[in-house]
Amino acid sequence: MNEVSKNKKKSEERPFLDVSQEISLKHIPVMISEVLSFLDPKEQETYVDGTFGLGGYSSAILKESNAHVIAIDRDEEVEEIAKELEKEFKGRFQFIRSNFSEIEAVLLQRELSEVQGVVFDLGVSSPQIDNAERGFSFQKEGPLDMRMEKTGFKALDVVNTATEEMLADIFYHYGDETKSRRIARAILKARLQKPFTTTSELVRVVHSVMGAKSGKIDSATRVFQALRIYVNDEIGSLKKGLEGALKVLSPGGRLIIVTFHSLEDRIVKDFFNMHSGKSKNSYSRHSPLPSCVPQQPILHLLTPKAIRPQESEIFQNPRARSAKLRAALRTMTPFYSMMNGV
Ligand SMILES: C[S@@+](CC[C@H](N)C(=O)[O-])C[C@H]1O[C@@H](n2cnc3c(N)ncnc32)[C@H](O)[C@@H]1O
């Protein structure tokens, strides 16, 4: 029996749910059995769950073994759930509100320099999307916000102030939107009449250019994805987070990344290939890297190709359909930070 049907059956049997059961009803953890099998949690080892969300991964790791988990999330709204897990798994679970790009500093502040595994489950959680007030969903009327944490600029600041060229670049690079220029032009025209404040105002403008559908999906999907990535600097965080994860992994430690769109997956794939000696940019005698660069790879790929969720998981949780999982093992070679990043 898989996790979902186990939890469903338990919740049908009992009038009261424990915290982890409630969590799994609000956000079904994606590819959790694959994550656990690559992480292979063991007693006394410490793992970082860099995207705590509703705690699905953290609680699964803590239940699977007597391991320790340090969880990170940039969203203050998950702190209540984290407190429950701190009570349930006393002494084995700690939550830190931060960006996972700061993983190295977060661990150093706790006098920890090494962990045996790091997991990132990228993007936003179901409650973040489902809460209209957060402004992530083109299907719900709400403020055009889209911030994972309540600091910094909002999506409405971007659509109301960015130049046409900048908007087009955001939609093209972060959303693969081929009609990016036309949409940007329409946004500039609309905001002259009235600045954008809500999600539905933006949806209306995108639909006016593209029609409501683009193939099978709503034509506003890519624009919303692109703005979310830009507002939260998701690409910058991912690149820094991957570098940081590599620095804190002990030899033999596991790095597992679950992505939900091609841009993220390409970054993870390139990073894994580069550090495992698979890509053209990896360490070779032709590489212009200084001689202190290790000749041996610092990662060993556990997934030569990205793994996709099983059909049965997609059937039970359609939000898993675009997930891709990549996993790698930290080798014994000392870390060298590539000067130009990924
Ligand atoms: C897909 S959800 C994770 C769900 C979680 N694995 C679970 O099973 O409940 C992604 C979470 O990661 C957080 N997040 C995304 N990017 C982050 C970053 N750079 N640093 C810290 N948290 C981040 C989001 O706020 C969100 O809560």
Side-chain angles (χ1 to χ4, degrees):
M1 198 187 307
N2 66 26
E3 280 303 305
V4 178
S5 41
K6 254 193 242 165
N7 284 326
K8 190 161 173 263
K9 189 154 188 292
K10 279 188 199 163
S11 67
E12 281 161 1
E13 283 164 3
R14 291 173 44 192
F16 299 107
L17 307 178
D18 66 28
V19 171
S20 45
Q21 284 171 317
E22 280 179 23
I23 287 164
S24 62
L25 293 180
K26 288 180 193 151
H27 177 96
I28 304 172
V30 172
M31 300 185 80
I32 185 64
S33 50
E34 291 86 346
V35 167
L36 286 178
S37 105
F38 283 113
L39 198 62
D40 189 19
K42 292 187 188 69
E43 181 154 4
Q44 299 311 327
E45 294 201 336
T46 301
Y47 306 101
V48 174
D49 174 1
T51 49
F52 176 71
L54 278 276
Y57 284 11
S58 286
S59 54
I61 297 166
L62 291 159
K63 281 179 182 167
E64 179 85 357
S65 75
N66 217 15
H68 292 250
V69 171
I70 297 182
I72 299 173
D73 202 294
R74 60 198 291 190
D75 185 352
E76 47 265 67
E77 290 195 5
V78 307
E79 273 171 318
E80 281 307 305
I81 299 159
K83 278 189 194 138
E84 294 297 325
L85 258 71
E86 270 161 7
K87 276 191 232 152
E88 191 177 341
F89 301 99
K90 219 172 170 35
R92 293 201 290 129
F93 175 78
Q94 269 186 71
F95 174 78
I96 296 118
R97 194 167 71 74
S98 181
N99 192 312
F100 61 57
S101 60
E102 301 303 319
I103 183 170
E104 204 187 355
V106 161
L107 294 186
L108 275 181
Q109 276 160 16
R110 276 144 197 92
E111 296 181 354
L112 253 179
S113 56
E114 273 193 350
V115 293
Q116 286 69 48
V118 174
V119 188
F120 297 159
D121 174 20
L122 299 175
V124 278
S125 65
S126 305
Q128 284 170 327
I129 299 169
D130 294 342
N131 180 353
E133 288 306 304
R134 305 295 301 263
F136 287 112
S137 174
F138 55 81
Q139 291 170 325
K140 293 179 196 287
E141 164 79 8
L144 195 53
D145 189 318
M146 297 197 198
R147 292 170 305 168
M148 290 190 202
E149 58 204 280
K150 294 187 176 75
T151 54
F153 58 82
K154 304 175 184 178
L156 64 86
D157 297 317
V158 182
V159 293
N160 285 329
T161 61
T163 61
E164 184 179 319
E165 196 184 358
M166 195 174 157
L167 282 174
D169 282 352
I170 292 171
F171 302 151
Y172 183 73
H173 291 296
Y174 295 153
D176 274 337
E177 178 52 74
T178 50
K179 306 237 170 65
S180 55
R181 299 229 162 261
R182 282 178 56 199
I183 297 169
R185 209 168 304 134
I187 288 176
L188 260 76
K189 200 170 153 205
R191 81 187 189 199
L192 278 179
Q193 309 296 316
K194 180 186 168 296
F196 287 86
T197 53
T198 68
T199 48
S200 55
E201 288 163 0
L202 180 60
V203 171
R204 265 199 297 282
V205 171
V206 179
H207 284 180
S208 74
V209 176
M210 312 265 295
K213 290 272 174 195
S214 168
K216 283 187 184 163
I217 62 168
D218 189 299
S219 64
T221 311
R222 293 195 189 94
V223 166
F224 270 64
Q225 174 191 297
L227 277 172
R228 193 201 84 206
I229 291 173
Y230 181 75
V231 165
N232 295 289
D233 185 23
E234 291 181 37
I235 301 306
S237 297
L238 176 58
K239 289 181 177 178
K240 202 168 165 222
L242 288 169
E243 289 278 333
L246 214 50
K247 289 185 192 163
V248 301
L249 274 177
S250 63
R254 279 82 67 204
L255 177 58
I256 300 160
I257 315 288
V258 179
T259 62
F260 290 87
H261 55 78
S262 56
L263 179 57
E264 284 172 343
D265 181 58
R266 201 158 56 234
I267 289 166
V268 178
K269 181 179 165 187
D270 288 350
F271 182 86
F272 275 26
N273 282 346
M274 181 172 73
H275 289 290
S276 63
K278 287 256 175 309
S279 73
K280 290 193 186 93
N281 294 337
S282 41
Y283 325 122
S284 80
R285 65 196 171 86
H286 305 294
S287 154
L289 291 169
S291 56
C292 56
V293 175
Q295 296 303 301
Q296 296 300 318
I298 48 181
L299 284 180
H300 167 75
L301 299 189
L302 298 172
T303 51
K305 277 180 79 174
I307 292 183
R308 309 296 303 258
Q310 308 237 347
E311 281 303 316
S312 54
E313 174 168 1
I314 297 172
F315 181 72
Q316 273 154 344
N317 180 17
R319 278 178 180 169
R321 68 185 173 277
S322 46
K324 282 186 180 173
L325 181 152
R326 293 183 188 270
L329 189 81
R330 178 73 175 83
T331 64
M332 306 295 281
T333 309
F335 181 81
Y336 175 84
S337 178
M338 307 286 282
M339 256 97 73
N340 298 318
V342 180

